[in-house]
Amino acid sequence: MQSTEIVTAETLEFTDLEVSKPAALNVPTVDLTEMTEMPDLDAGNVMLLDLSSEYWSPLNAGEAKRLLFVKIDNTQVQDINDPNLILHLPCAFFLEKDKSGIKQIRNGSKRLVAALENVPAGMPLLITYKGKIQNKNNAFKSDNWSVKPIIIKI
């Protein structure tokens, strides 16, 4: 016999969302509580990875990037209607190689973030911006994406 029980879904706020934790960088650190002198930072090698991130806002449909997925994490942004209000926006973070090294980029499109919720860190992806599409639930338009895994030799 089938159950006729109705289950009500709980509405979550942005702050209630679970996000994946970033993978730890394998970089030696200095124990500041035990440090007796400053290490020679000039003698160290600088990684090609830039830890700061840029927000990727594609302008035209068809714009694509080959990226490594890193994580989904909250980013603090100002509310469009109230600049004194800070919101926590879930963003997808990626690594992209360019002529100066490896940079980190992020995007907070709800459709893109949702597509990446179960993607493991380190997965190579071809992400293509497909333009705006009309929302079914309101009068607004949302960004539309194609997210395809890339098979690479490691």
Side-chain angles (χ1 to χ4, degrees), residues 41-89:
L41 300 180
D42 291 327
N45 294 323
V46 177
M47 293 180 71
L48 293 177
L49 174 62
D50 188 345
L51 296 178
S52 63
S53 68
E54 299 173 8
Y55 195 86
W56 176 33
S57 293
L59 300 175
N60 301 310
E63 183 177 333
K65 290 184 178 280
R66 290 175 180 259
L67 306 166
L68 284 178
F69 176 66
V70 176
K71 63 182 177 179
I72 295 173
D73 203 358
N74 287 327
T75 300
Q76 292 183 348
V77 295
Q78 285 183 329
D79 184 276
I80 294 172
N81 300 316
D82 182 358
N84 295 322
L85 183 62
I86 301 297
L87 302 173
H88 297 278
L89 176 68

Side-chain angles (χ1 to χ4, degrees), residues 2-6:
Q2 291 183 343
S3 171
T4 58
E5 180 180 328
I6 297 174

Side-chain angles (χ1 to χ4, degrees), residues 3-4 15-16 49 70 76 87 91 105 107 118 138 140 143:
S3 171
T4 58
T15 55
D16 295 332
L49 174 62
V70 176
Q76 292 183 348
L87 302 173
C91 286
I105 62 171
N107 185 287
N118 295 313
N138 57 39
F140 300 109
D143 291 333

